[in-house]
Amino acid sequence: MHFSPSQSEASRPFLTWQRIIDWAQAHYRERMFNKDERIPTRSGLLYLVHRGAVRLVGTAQISATITNASDEETQGGIEDAFLGFVGSGLPFEIVAQSPFTLQAYAHIDQTAIVWMYWHDLDNWPHFRREVLDAFRYQHQRKLLWLSTLGQRRTVDRLLGFITLLVEEYGESTDRGYRLPYPLTHAQIGSAIGSTRVTVTRLMGKLRQKGLIYVEDDNLICLPYSSPKD
Amino acid sequence: MHFSPSQSEASRPFLTWQRIIDWAQAHYRERMFNKDERIPTRSGLLYLVHRGAVRLVGTAQISATITNASDEETQGGIEDAFLGFVGSGLPFEIVAQSPFTLQAYAHIDQTAIVWMYWHDLDNWPHFRREVLDAFRYQHQRKLLWLSTLGQRRTVDRLLGFITLLVEEYGESTDRGYRLPYPLTHAQIGSAIGSTRVTVTRLMGKLRQKGLIYVEDDNLICLPYSSPKD
């Protein structure tokens, strides 16, 4: 398994970034959010995570079934799905689209968000190119994510999902790579089409097999070498 | 439900496109593929679908379980997941990434693919912008797709998946919107984490409820107005 350092960090020219942050602050285009606070977004605007981390969530307002109590896991129809993080220094945008809506939440306290119109980037053509490349990279990551969600067994989807998340966002530690943000079992379940209860059970299985481990604040980690190697 | 016309068709300046195709043909950068033929790809190259359609497929080489016969749906570990289409006039790229690999296949006969290096686009900066915007759009679509795959009930994932596909690629007909490419139930199952047998059963349910219908060559359609409206 190959883990690559965060590409955005390496490729971001610090000076341009600082100039954009200065510009945004001078134009009152920065705002701070607390953990789990929703970030109001409009289609057509571009958002940059200055500090902290953003959690993207999708809501499906489509259902093949009129909700009834006979299904074992009926929960009222509308479900929120965890769609990934946007880390510091990275862009996101939200294009509203029925019958699904996308929303952004601050994932940790003190998350600072800067926003701008796309045409504001006319002043920084290189930075625009970087933003577009970041979306290009994100697109590839989401294709990998979809690959694991196509797997039929929930435990495979779970391990694939964790692997992709840690691969993308993980920090190096003594024993392995650690996801720097906590994630609840309900949030994991919402991403892989499963329930909190099932995720808890399967996470136990993966830990027993040594495929994952968990550190202090519920941070998920992958060991450097798989126990099967 | 709102269906928008294919954005790429509207925004593609025909002259540039024709010039790029001419350039590609003059430089032996075009090749024709038959249905289900694999399109060889290399990381770092950019591919354009000149004619036909491409099917993107992801392969997960990760599994939490050593394959054994006790699981009901064990099938040898490696599963290919259908990840979507790339239609005529649109770009794609494949960045290899363990433990998942992405591949491209011609989805229909006479699919013509043009390829180039990213720096070849230095001659056509506006076109490069368009290509990057196309990936940006694709990224948003994949977020919506992930939203529906987070739904717990397979029938909801199935209807959400079909809705998104038809919304993106569908053609207008007398009665509704029709997906112009056939898709097997096994392919659908591979996208939504289910099996061919289950998809066949649930497609029957959705047809009975009038939420979808199927035309001649197994083409999936959505009626203009939902029967519940």
Side-chain angles (χ1 to χ4, degrees):
Chain A
M1 204 176 297
H2 300 286
F3 289 87
S4 52
S6 166
Q7 301 199 347
S8 66
E9 289 293 325
S11 65
R12 180 208 312 164
F14 178 74
L15 281 177
T16 307
W17 176 256
Q18 189 54 53
R19 232 176 277 142
I20 287 169
I21 296 299
D22 289 346
W23 169 87
Q25 288 170 341
H27 290 75
Y28 306 102
R29 298 282 190 84
E30 187 178 44
R31 189 176 143 190
M32 203 75 86
F33 294 88
N34 289 322
K35 183 173 187 306
D36 295 328
E37 201 178 340
R38 195 167 82 78
I39 299 163
T41 54
R42 274 193 295 147
S43 169
L45 286 181
L46 175 69
Y47 300 84
L48 300 174
V49 181
H50 179 198
R51 261 199 310 279
V54 162
R55 177 176 76 244
L56 295 182
V57 169
T59 307
Q61 269 141 346
I62 195 171
S63 175
T65 42
I66 295 159
T67 307
N68 58 41
S70 70
D71 260 286
E72 39 184 329
E73 284 178 342
T74 298
Q75 247 219 356
I78 291 180
E79 301 175 61
D80 283 350
F82 169 72
L83 304 181
F85 296 116
V86 186
S88 163
L90 288 174
F92 69 95
E93 63 179 346
I94 302 284
V95 178
Q97 200 95 17
S98 93
F100 295 91
T101 54
L102 305 177
Q103 297 193 319
Y105 293 87
H107 194 66
I108 55 183
D109 274 335
Q110 306 250 322
T111 292
I113 303 296
V114 157
W115 67 95
M116 58 189 62
Y117 294 91
W118 277 94
H119 64 73
D120 290 330
L121 287 181
D122 289 349
N123 301 321
W124 298 291
H126 286 287
F127 187 73
R128 176 169 57 205
R129 178 83 184 271
E130 266 180 68
V131 165
L132 290 169
D133 280 343
F135 285 132
R136 196 180 134 210
Y137 175 72
Q138 277 303 316
H139 175 218
Q140 288 284 314
R141 297 299 304 179
K142 292 312 179 201
L143 288 179
L144 299 178
W145 193 325
L146 285 172
S147 301
T148 197
L149 294 195
Q151 292 178 285
R152 279 197 297 263
R153 279 181 303 191
T154 308
V155 69
D156 290 340
R157 293 203 299 273
L158 176 63
L159 182 59
F161 169 81
I162 289 173
T163 303
L164 288 174
L165 272 190
V166 174
E167 195 177 67
E168 187 168 352
Y169 305 103
E171 304 166 334
S172 221
T173 70
D174 288 354
R175 295 168 56 196
Y177 294 94
R178 179 174 57 199
L179 191 66
Y181 319 115
L183 206 52
T184 68
H185 290 183
Q187 284 167 335
I188 295 172
S190 80
I192 65 170
S194 185
T195 61
R196 185 188 57 75
V197 174
T198 302
V199 168
T200 299
R201 182 174 57 82
L202 294 177
M203 292 278 283
K205 260 195 178 178
L206 295 180
R207 287 169 73 163
Q208 269 177 12
K209 292 193 182 185
L211 294 169
I212 65 169
Y213 63 97
V214 173
E215 279 185 357
D216 27 271
D217 274 337
N218 218 7
L219 298 177
I220 301 170
C221 309
L222 287 183
Y224 280 122
S225 60
S226 156
K228 283 185 222 145
D229 285 355
Chain B
M1 205 176 295
H2 299 286
F3 289 87
S4 53
S6 165
Q7 300 199 349
S8 66
E9 288 293 324
S11 66
R12 181 210 311 165
F14 178 73
L15 281 177
T16 307
W17 175 257
Q18 189 53 52
R19 232 176 276 142
I20 286 168
I21 296 300
D22 290 346
W23 169 87
Q25 287 170 341
H27 290 75
Y28 306 100
R29 298 281 190 84
E30 187 178 43
R31 188 175 144 189
M32 202 75 85
F33 294 87
N34 290 322
K35 183 173 187 305
D36 296 328
E37 201 179 340
R38 195 167 81 78
I39 299 163
T41 54
R42 274 194 294 147
S43 169
L45 286 181
L46 176 69
Y47 300 84
L48 300 175
V49 182
H50 178 198
R51 262 199 312 278
V54 162
R55 178 176 75 243
L56 295 180
V57 169
T59 306
Q61 269 140 346
I62 195 171
S63 174
T65 42
I66 295 160
T67 306
N68 58 41
S70 69
D71 259 286
E72 38 184 330
E73 284 177 341
T74 298
Q75 246 219 356
I78 291 179
E79 301 175 61
D80 283 350
F82 169 73
L83 304 181
F85 296 116
V86 186
S88 162
L90 288 174
F92 67 97
E93 62 179 347
I94 302 285
V95 178
Q97 200 97 19
S98 95
F100 295 92
T101 54
L102 304 177
Q103 296 193 320
Y105 293 86
H107 194 65
I108 55 183
D109 274 334
Q110 306 250 321
T111 292
I113 303 296
V114 157
W115 66 96
M116 58 189 63
Y117 294 92
W118 276 93
H119 65 74
D120 289 331
L121 286 181
D122 289 349
N123 301 320
W124 298 291
H126 286 287
F127 188 72
R128 176 169 57 205
R129 179 84 182 272
E130 266 180 68
V131 165
L132 290 169
D133 279 343
F135 286 132
R136 195 181 136 210
Y137 175 73
Q138 276 305 316
H139 175 219
Q140 289 283 315
R141 296 299 305 181
K142 292 313 179 201
L143 288 178
L144 299 178
W145 193 327
L146 286 171
S147 302
T148 197
L149 294 194
Q151 292 179 285
R152 280 197 298 263
R153 279 181 302 190
T154 308
V155 68
D156 291 340
R157 292 203 299 272
L158 176 62
L159 182 59
F161 168 80
I162 289 173
T163 303
L164 288 174
L165 272 191
V166 174
E167 194 177 69
E168 187 167 352
Y169 305 104
E171 304 166 334
S172 221
T173 69
D174 288 354
R175 295 167 57 195
Y177 294 94
R178 179 175 58 201
L179 192 65
Y181 318 115
L183 206 54
T184 68
H185 291 181
Q187 285 167 335
I188 296 172
S190 79
I192 65 170
S194 185
T195 61
R196 185 188 57 75
V197 175
T198 302
V199 168
T200 300
R201 182 173 57 80
L202 295 176
M203 292 280 281
K205 260 195 179 178
L206 294 180
R207 287 169 75 163
Q208 269 177 12
K209 292 192 182 186
L211 293 169
I212 65 170
Y213 63 98
V214 172
E215 278 184 359
D216 26 271
D217 274 337
N218 218 6
L219 298 176
I220 302 170
C221 309
L222 287 182
Y224 280 123
S225 60
S226 156
K228 282 185 222 145
D229 284 355

